[in-house]
């Protein structure tokens, strides 16, 4: 044990030195600050070291330490890793000691993570994960709000309990959004994601101190297999490789950049700039080093060293767009097969850059290439716009087979072995199925159905020792298929754009996939968790409209999206009914409005291809089909005519139609052409008389008188908007007002409809406003606005003052007020927010 030397020095034996150095063996990042070095020295040794003791020891052994100046002060670590024997128990002790250093909030007894030392915020997760106690730390909802996102993300890859798995999934779901958010914004985002996972209790904890909390949310777009999403541009090509022993993704983009990024935490390692947009690439090992072969839309074809970013050489010869690049090994040497707009398949030796073969045969642009071994010989399998799949012998450059059956362009090809026999899986532009082909005899083995749109990407992978294929495309889902049984094992959701790119790899014995697209940010998935169930069901397409109505005396929500209308109990989110507007892509719901007629709830619904219907929501039956629309029905509403609700529809041929449901609905009661297409409608009362308010593509508000004869449009207000996207009606100071949203405007206008004057402007949105609604209650007149940054704004309309903001995990496109709640359509999900009384 240490003894004082009488001269203020410190007498240490070898055990003392080892005890004082041991905390630094486990230090993370730049190292431990002196105060925490003292804390951990005490915790690990059980000895009452003082700050003076550790400071004196630091000065004595300074040449054996690495000292780094950080924003929080000096930090210390060892130059090498050191002896980590007994790591699990040691890391548990470190975790407990660090947790004890987090101050307590005297008001509620919770840890005050906002006051925690930076080292604890940054590195507690790493210590807890190494000690196998990360799930215990994740139990603290406040830690999720304040932990350093990058450090926590790395730690989340360690195994955990079932409860911990849910919290990990909640944190990962929108990490790309909340990682750079403020603590209040992160709190909002995590609370909504907790509700999307069905964890409403955690959502309440996370919402502590915030003006709104999620009551419930659907979870169609979340899945526990997601590891993270990279922000920025979409991707047009992707492949996986290993660099310095770590898995990396290499992605190409129309912006001419090739990005190399770590699949564990998403950090960017390297950016390579091409001469033009990169739409095809693949990775190869050349001379023991990782390389990428890139193809551009102007015919450029180059080989790049991924260690240095240097160009190894260019491969010349293609004319036009290069759409397919694949790398393989032939006779122990790395090769590339490339193809594209010039209809030629070319084989290149990647050691010396020589062209080994040129293979004509396709009669139109080639989109995809994959590799297999057939009868002991290496083959390339290609697909393209001539609707064919072709096999090429890579030893002699001869076309071996042409597989026909697709009725549209073949966009994607993948190869694997099923029951010892080589097979190819292909997806096409006009079919919602993937085809599985036996490459030995060219026969079609099976068809994989399930997608609701085209398939533009496939990638093969082994899961649990069995061959599987991932398919993706226009419906924004990734489907995982067991090819031994030809069954669908999982559907990965969450992309908000078309998925054009898939690539698979393995890390620490677990299979991973990278997905993305031209309009979809790349995502990384742990396929080992792919078969875990997603949080909840709901819409499988964007929720375009929301409404509210009472059914059996209870408040309900009605949402329209994909090809369905869904009815939800507002109190608990139970899905009461699903109504099918149609079963094809052309019948997607785009507009919805609810009302009550003689005590019965109804919904008017419009959508693509001129389909408009009125539904009895209590019975779940279609009451009427409203004929005559030849174009998409942009908006619907209910208007009072002679004391009874009538349905109003407007389509893209600039026609407004009024329907009396008690009469012959084969013919509208009123048909009127407008100067420009109507984008929004709202019933209002002017001087005690019911009117219809419309907003149009010409930026004008128009008031319509729906009874009597003569001029229908009684007033026109030119708002100055380029076009009107949405509007809402309310009453202020006893006078009717309208709120208008225009085009990509970042402000909302408030109009007095009595005299057509602009009363106020609601400014300050980060980006274009997408939707607006009004709420009344407790002597409040509020406006609710959504902008494309994923932020809800709540405004006091009397003063035009912003009351509060709520951050959402994703862009939302529609909102309505349901009493004291807000109902939001956010992508495919429905989110209900309640005012927080705590």
């Amino acid at each position: 044990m240490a003894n004082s030397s009488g001269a203020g020095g410190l007498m240490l034996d070898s055990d003392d030195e080892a005890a004082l150095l041991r905390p630094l063996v486990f230090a993370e990042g730049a190292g431990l600050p002196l105060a925490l070095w003292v804390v951990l020295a005490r915790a690990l040794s059980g000895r009452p070291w003082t700050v003076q003791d550790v400071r004196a020891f630091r000065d004595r052994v300074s040449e054996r330490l690495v000292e780094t100046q950080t924003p929080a002060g000096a930090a210390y670590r060892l130059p090498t890793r050191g002896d980590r024997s007994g790591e699990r128990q040691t890391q548990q002790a470190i975790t407990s000691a660090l947790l004890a250093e987090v101050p307590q909030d005297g008001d509620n007894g919770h840890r005050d993570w906002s006051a925690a030392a930076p080292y604890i915020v940054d590195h507690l997760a790493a210590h807890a994960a190494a000690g196998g106690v990360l799930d215990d730390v994740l139990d603290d909802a406040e830690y999720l709000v304040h932990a350093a996102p990058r450090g926590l993300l790395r730690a989340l890859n360690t195994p955990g309990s079932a409860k911990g798995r849910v919290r990990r999934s909640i944190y990962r779901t929108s990490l790309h959004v909340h990682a750079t958010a403020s603590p209040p914004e992160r709190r909002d985002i995590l609370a909504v994601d907790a509700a999307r996972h069905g964890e409403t209790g955690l959502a309440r904890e996370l919402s502590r101190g915030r003006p709104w909390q999620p009551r419930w949310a659907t979870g169609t777009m979340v899945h526990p297999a997601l590891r993270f999403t990279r922000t920025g541009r979409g991707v047009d090509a992707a492949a996986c490789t290993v660099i310095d022993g770590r898995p990396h993704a290499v992605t190409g983009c129309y912006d001419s950049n090739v990005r190399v990024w770590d699949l564990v935490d998403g950090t960017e390692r390297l950016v390579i700039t091409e001469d033009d947009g990169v739409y095809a690439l693949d990775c190869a090992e050349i001379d023991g080093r990782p390389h990428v072969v890139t193809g551009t839309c102007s015919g450029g074809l180059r080989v790049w060293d991924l260690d240095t970013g240097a160009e190894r050489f260019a491969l010349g010869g293609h004319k036009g767009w290069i759409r397919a690049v694949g790398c393989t090994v032939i006779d122990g040497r790395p090769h590339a097969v490339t193809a594209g707009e010039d209809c030629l398949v070319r084989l290149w030796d990647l050691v010396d850059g020589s062209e080994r073969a040129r293979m004509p045969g396709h009669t139109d642009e080639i989109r995809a290439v994959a590799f297999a071994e057939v009868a002991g010989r290496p083959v390339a399998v290609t697909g393209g716009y001539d609707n064919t799949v072709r096999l090429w012998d890579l030893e002699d450059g001869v076309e071996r087979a042409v597989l026909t059956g697709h009725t549209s362009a073949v966009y994607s090809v993948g190869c694997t072995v099923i029951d010892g026999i080589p097979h190819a899986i292909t997806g096409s532009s006009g079919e919602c199925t993937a085809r599985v082909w036996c490459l030995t005899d060219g026969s079609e083995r099976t068809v994989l159905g399930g997608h609701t749109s085209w398939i533009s990407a496939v990638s093969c992978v082994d899961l649990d020792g069995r061959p599987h294929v991932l398919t993706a495309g226009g419906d924004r889902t990734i489907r995982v298929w067991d090819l031994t049984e030809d069954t669908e094992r999982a559907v990965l959701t969450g992309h908000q754009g078309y998925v054009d790119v898939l690539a698979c790899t393995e890390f620490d014995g677990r299979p991973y996939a990278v997905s993305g697209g031209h309009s979809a940010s790349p995502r990384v998935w742990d396929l080992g968790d792919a078969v875990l169930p997603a949080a909840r069901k709901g819409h499988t397409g964007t929720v375009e409209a929301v409404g509210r109505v009472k059914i059996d005396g209870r408040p309900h929500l009605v949402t329209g999206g994909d090809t369905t209308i869904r009815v939800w109990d507002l109190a608990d989110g139970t899905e009461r009914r699903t109504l099918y507007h149609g079963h094809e892509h052309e019948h997607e719901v785009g507009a919805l409005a609810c009302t009550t007629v003689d005590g019965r709830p109804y919904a008017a619904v419009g959508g693509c291809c001129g389909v408009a219907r009125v539904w009895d929501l209590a019975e779940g039956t279609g009451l009427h089909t409203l004929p005559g629309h030849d174009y998409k029905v942009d908006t619907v509403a209910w208007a009072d005519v002679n004391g009874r609700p009538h349905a109003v529809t407007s389509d893209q041929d600039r026609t407004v139609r009024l329907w009396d449901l008690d009469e012959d609905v084969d013919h509208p009661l009123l048909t009127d052409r407008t100067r420009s297409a109507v984008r929004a409608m709202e019933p209002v009362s002017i001087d005690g008389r019911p009117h219809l308010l419309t907003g149009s593509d010409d930026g004008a508000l128009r008031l319509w008188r729906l009874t009597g004869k003569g001029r229908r449009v009684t007033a026109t207000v030119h708002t100055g908007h380029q076009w009107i996207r949405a509007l809402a009606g309310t009453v202020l100071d006893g006078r009717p007002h309208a709120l208008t949203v225009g085009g990509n405007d970042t402000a909302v206008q408030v109009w007095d409809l009595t005299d057509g004057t602009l009363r106020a402007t609601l400014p300050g949105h980060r980006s274009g406003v997408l939707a607006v609604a009004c709420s009344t209650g407790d002597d409040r007149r509020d406006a609710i606005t959504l902008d494309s940054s994923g932020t809800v704004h709540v405004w006091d309309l009397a003063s035009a003052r912003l009351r509060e903001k709520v951050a959402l995990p994703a862009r939302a496109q529609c909102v309505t007020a349901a009493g004291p709640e807000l109902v939001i359509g956010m992508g495919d999900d429905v989110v209900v927010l309640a005012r927080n009384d705590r």
Side-chain angles (χ1 to χ4, degrees):
M1 175 66 187
N3 295 301
S4 175
S5 70
L10 193 66
M11 304 290 291
L12 299 176
D13 59 26
S14 59
D15 289 342
D16 293 332
E17 288 198 4
L20 286 171
L21 288 173
R22 188 155 178 78
L24 302 188
V25 172
F26 297 93
E28 295 287 337
L32 287 168
L34 185 67
L36 289 180
W37 184 358
V38 175
V39 168
L40 296 187
R42 292 171 181 166
L44 297 184
S45 68
R47 302 176 187 177
W49 302 108
T50 66
V51 173
Q52 291 76 15
D53 292 335
V54 176
R55 183 178 290 122
F57 177 70
R58 174 203 63 186
D59 295 341
R60 180 177 302 176
V61 299
S62 59
E63 73 282 353
R64 297 163 58 186
L65 306 178
V66 176
E67 179 179 338
T68 305
Q69 291 298 320
T70 73
Y76 304 92
R77 61 180 176 85
L78 298 178
T80 57
R81 185 178 177 88
D83 177 18
R84 290 203 172 201
S85 58
E87 178 170 8
R88 187 177 180 88
Q89 292 75 20
T90 303
Q91 294 280 25
Q92 289 174 2
I94 290 173
T95 300
S96 297
L98 293 178
L99 284 171
E101 290 299 302
V102 180
Q104 297 288 314
D105 187 331
D107 294 334
N108 56 35
H110 296 93
R111 293 188 181 98
D112 184 3
W113 285 98
S114 64
Y119 180 89
I120 299 176
V121 173
D122 291 343
H123 302 300
L124 176 64
H127 292 295
V133 292
L134 180 60
D135 287 348
D136 296 334
V137 176
L138 297 180
D139 271 342
D140 189 336
E142 291 299 304
Y143 176 68
L144 297 175
V145 175
H146 293 281
R150 181 176 176 185
L152 182 50
L153 175 61
R154 280 180 171 269
L156 291 179
N157 288 326
T158 59
S161 65
K163 180 181 179 182
R165 184 186 297 125
V166 175
R167 295 215 169 189
R168 293 164 193 245
S169 181
I170 290 168
Y171 192 83
R172 287 170 171 142
T173 294
S174 305
L175 178 63
H176 60 296
V177 181
H178 68 67
T180 57
S182 66
E185 291 172 331
R186 183 178 295 129
R187 190 180 295 279
D188 289 341
I189 292 165
L190 288 171
V192 172
D193 280 343
R196 294 165 86 190
H197 282 77
E199 295 289 320
T200 53
L202 177 59
R204 285 193 296 272
E205 288 185 63
L206 289 164
S207 298
R208 188 179 294 111
R210 298 296 293 151
W212 296 84
Q213 69 174 21
R215 171 170 282 191
W216 57 267
T218 59
T220 303
M221 296 182 68
V222 301
H223 198 286
L226 178 67
R227 287 301 171 261
F228 63 85
T229 303
R230 274 180 56 88
T231 56
R233 295 180 183 272
V235 295
D236 295 291
C240 296
T241 190
V242 175
I243 305 175
D244 296 335
R246 293 175 64 85
H248 285 70
V250 184
T251 56
C253 183
Y254 61 90
D255 68 355
S256 305
N257 287 321
V258 177
R259 292 178 169 85
V260 184
W261 43 280
D262 192 312
L263 283 178
V264 178
D265 59 14
T267 54
E268 193 169 273
R269 177 190 178 101
L270 180 67
V271 177
I272 298 169
T273 301
E274 261 281 13
D275 291 339
D276 212 333
V278 178
Y279 287 82
L281 60 79
D282 201 6
C283 295
E285 185 177 286
I286 307 173
D287 298 333
R289 297 166 65 89
H291 287 70
V292 64
V293 183
T294 59
T296 70
C297 58
S298 56
L301 188 63
R302 291 179 176 85
V303 182
W304 306 85
D305 187 318
L306 292 177
D307 279 329
T308 64
E311 180 182 328
R312 182 183 177 104
F313 45 66
L315 308 174
H318 277 294
K319 295 180 180 179
W321 203 312
I322 296 177
R323 281 291 198 175
V325 172
C327 293
T328 188
V329 176
I330 303 173
D331 297 330
R333 292 170 67 91
H335 286 69
V337 172
T338 61
E341 194 174 9
D342 62 8
C343 307
L344 288 175
V345 179
R346 295 173 185 254
L347 175 65
W348 310 86
D349 186 317
L350 294 180
V351 175
D352 58 19
S354 62
E355 183 177 339
R356 283 192 55 185
R358 187 179 303 179
M359 297 167 275
H362 280 283
T363 59
D364 208 335
E365 181 178 324
I366 302 166
R367 279 291 300 261
V369 62
F371 301 100
E373 186 176 287
V374 179
R377 297 174 69 87
V379 300
V381 184
T382 59
Y385 278 94
D386 59 5
N387 304 355
T388 67
V389 179
R390 296 172 187 256
L391 274 66
W392 309 89
D393 190 313
L394 294 180
E395 290 187 347
D396 57 18
V398 174
E399 182 181 275
R400 294 299 182 192
V402 180
L403 311 181
T404 59
H406 279 292
T407 58
S408 56
V410 179
Y411 273 1
S412 49
V413 177
C415 292
T416 190
V417 176
I418 307 173
D419 297 328
I421 300 173
H423 285 72
I425 301 89
T426 57
S428 71
S429 61
E431 302 168 36
C432 302
T433 58
R435 297 173 184 254
V436 183
W437 307 85
C438 175
L439 296 181
T440 303
D441 58 15
S443 62
E444 185 179 294
R445 171 187 170 121
T446 192
V447 174
L448 306 175
H451 284 283
T452 59
S453 188
W454 70 85
I455 297 175
S456 52
V458 302
S459 185
C460 294
V461 64
D462 279 352
L463 300 179
D464 302 325
R466 295 160 67 95
H468 286 66
V469 67
L470 277 61
T471 59
D475 64 5
R476 302 175 297 160
T477 67
I478 302 153
R479 296 174 187 260
V480 183
W481 306 86
D482 185 324
L483 292 174
T484 302
E485 298 179 350
D486 301 327
T487 56
E488 182 181 277
R489 289 192 65 188
V491 180
L492 308 181
T493 57
H495 277 295
Q496 293 188 282
Y498 303 145
V499 183
D500 306 316
V501 174
L502 284 172
C504 293
T505 189
E506 188 175 282
F507 173 56
D508 283 347
R510 293 182 68 86
Y512 284 77
V514 178
S515 63
H518 191 79
S519 59
S521 297
R523 292 183 157 216
V524 176
W525 310 85
D526 183 338
L527 298 179
D529 287 342
V531 296
L532 295 173
R536 301 180 65 178
K537 293 187 179 297
H539 286 285
T540 58
T542 303
V543 179
E544 298 287 358
V546 294
R548 59 187 175 94
V549 72
K550 281 191 174 182
I551 303 176
D552 299 332
R554 292 172 58 85
H556 284 68
L557 305 179
V558 185
T559 58
D562 46 64
T563 59
T564 67
I565 304 101
R566 296 175 189 257
V567 182
W568 313 83
D569 190 310
L570 177 60
D572 59 14
T574 302
E575 186 176 340
R576 176 165 179 169
R577 183 165 286 122
T578 300
L579 311 175
Y580 291 92
H581 192 62
H583 296 278
E584 301 293 338
H585 180 74
E586 290 78 10
H587 292 84
E588 290 182 350
V589 175
L592 177 150
C594 297
T595 193
T596 300
V597 182
D598 297 331
R600 297 187 66 82
Y602 291 92
V605 179
C608 297
C609 297
V611 179
R613 293 189 177 93
V614 175
W615 294 86
D616 183 324
L617 298 175
E619 296 294 332
T621 56
L623 187 67
H624 297 293
T625 296
L626 308 179
H629 305 90
D630 296 322
Y631 301 88
K632 177 184 176 182
V633 178
D634 279 328
T635 183
V636 297
W638 293 94
D640 187 292
V641 179
N642 298 323
R644 291 184 62 81
H646 285 56
V648 189
T649 61
S650 177
D651 60 16
Q652 289 184 348
D653 72 349
R654 299 179 291 120
T655 302
V656 174
R657 295 174 172 87
L658 178 71
W659 307 85
D660 186 343
L661 302 186
D662 290 337
E663 300 296 330
D664 179 9
V665 294
D666 287 339
H667 302 284
L669 181 67
L670 164 70
T671 301
D672 207 333
R673 298 277 290 182
T674 60
R675 292 185 177 182
S676 61
V678 172
R679 292 296 188 103
M681 298 191 294
E682 183 84 3
V684 295
S685 178
I686 306 293
D687 297 330
R689 295 183 177 181
H691 286 68
L692 181 71
L693 180 67
T694 63
S696 302
D697 273 349
D698 60 1
L701 280 175
R702 293 179 173 85
L703 275 173
W704 296 67
R705 179 177 53 81
L706 299 178
T707 57
K709 297 181 180 180
R711 185 166 173 260
R712 297 290 183 187
V713 177
T714 61
T716 300
V717 177
H718 296 286
T719 65
H721 294 306
Q722 184 176 5
W723 56 278
I724 293 179
R725 178 191 294 272
L727 62 85
T730 190
V731 176
L732 292 174
D733 302 328
R735 295 162 69 94
H737 285 68
L739 283 69
T740 59
V741 174
N744 296 315
D745 293 355
T746 58
V748 176
Q749 297 178 351
V750 183
W751 297 90
D752 187 326
L753 295 178
T754 303
D755 56 17
T757 58
L758 180 64
R759 170 173 177 147
T761 299
L762 310 180
H765 300 86
R766 293 183 190 174
S767 53
V769 182
L770 302 179
V772 62
C774 293
S775 173
T776 303
D778 298 331
D779 298 323
R780 292 167 57 117
R781 287 288 192 277
D782 287 351
I784 299 94
T785 59
L786 294 175
D787 67 21
S788 59
S789 73
T791 305
V792 182
H793 298 71
V794 181
W795 305 81
D796 181 338
L797 274 176
S799 62
R801 179 180 59 85
L802 180 66
R803 289 187 189 272
E804 56 237 1
K805 294 195 291 186
V806 181
L808 298 176
R811 170 175 164 151
Q813 57 281 341
C814 54
V815 62
T816 193
E821 281 90 17
L822 302 181
V823 184
I824 299 166
M826 186 183 72
D828 297 1
D829 284 340
V830 180
V831 178
V832 177
L833 300 179
R835 191 166 289 282
N836 204 341
D837 297 328
R838 293 189 297 172

